[in-house]
Amino acid sequence: AYPEARNELLASHAWSFACRRLSLAPLGPAGDGEEFALAYRLPVDCLAVRRLDPDRPYTLRAGGVLLTDAAPAYALLTVALDEPSRYPPLFVEALARRLAAALAVPLLNSARMEEVMTRRSLESLEAAKTADAVEDGSAELSSRYDEDPWLAVR
């Protein structure tokens, strides 16, 4: 239950602690009939592709293959980070509550407890995502400061 819950939460958001910018390994031409010309191998620990740098369209294929016209291809990826010491406290709380929801029925035989823990898990996840965006200095937040001269001098 733990690896599945961890990976589900990691894939649900572009967590600053679990994102990596990597150069993708080229596989060669994408093949006949494909929308894009080039194929690249995704790392085995890749949970989600967030974007390509520079921002280019792409599509994913089975077996960890990404197709695009970009050459070379640099990608921002969310990886299956299995170092709990690198998880921020709010992510740990969301993960613990997600595990509690998953184990409520098998351990306690309680659908009611599963419902309560699922709701709490979702609340914790939203709080963790918000904190991550603030700590990461996301573009959305920084652009708000750039637009307002009063906030910019604060």
Side-chain angles (χ1 to χ4, degrees), residues 35 37 45 71 78 80-81 91 100 112 127 149 151-152:
E35 178 182 357
D45 63 348
T78 297
L81 183 65
F91 181 85
R112 170 78 177 119
L151 290 176

Side-chain angles (χ1 to χ4, degrees), residues 87-136:
Y87 302 160
L90 289 176
F91 181 85
V92 172
E93 180 180 341
L95 179 55
R97 289 186 175 184
R98 173 67 184 93
L99 286 169
L103 297 172
V105 172
L107 293 179
L108 303 173
N109 199 25
S110 174
R112 170 78 177 119
M113 183 58 73
E114 178 185 33
E115 181 183 318
V116 168
M117 292 313 299
T118 297
R119 185 171 21 84
R120 289 183 180 172
S121 169
L122 293 173
E123 291 167 358
S124 295
L125 181 59
E126 288 308 310
K129 286 179 180 180
T130 300
D132 185 68
V134 170
E135 291 171 6
D136 186 36

Side-chain angles (χ1 to χ4, degrees), residues 17-151:
F17 65 90
C19 281
R20 304 286 178 268
R21 184 179 183 272
L22 302 172
S23 175
L24 299 179
L27 293 173
D32 294 335
E34 290 291 352
E35 178 182 357
F36 298 103
L38 302 170
Y40 293 90
R41 170 79 54 213
L42 293 171
V44 294
D45 63 348
C46 177
L47 296 175
V49 177
R50 300 301 172 184
R51 71 172 184 269
L52 292 186
D53 291 327
D55 192 18
R56 301 285 294 271
Y58 65 89
T59 190
L60 300 175
R61 294 288 186 251
V65 175
L66 181 142
L67 304 179
T68 186
D69 291 328
Y74 296 96
L76 182 65
L77 310 172
T78 297
V79 297
L81 183 65
D82 60 358
E83 299 173 46
S85 63
R86 298 193 50 203
Y87 302 160
L90 289 176
F91 181 85
V92 172
E93 180 180 341
L95 179 55
R97 289 186 175 184
R98 173 67 184 93
L99 286 169
L103 297 172
V105 172
L107 293 179
L108 303 173
N109 199 25
S110 174
R112 170 78 177 119
M113 183 58 73
E114 178 185 33
E115 181 183 318
V116 168
M117 292 313 299
T118 297
R119 185 171 21 84
R120 289 183 180 172
S121 169
L122 293 173
E123 291 167 358
S124 295
L125 181 59
E126 288 308 310
K129 286 179 180 180
T130 300
D132 185 68
V134 170
E135 291 171 6
D136 186 36
S138 72
E140 179 182 325
L141 292 174
S142 62
S143 69
R144 282 181 37 216
Y145 292 116
D146 294 340
E147 293 169 8
D148 188 331
W150 187 83
L151 290 176

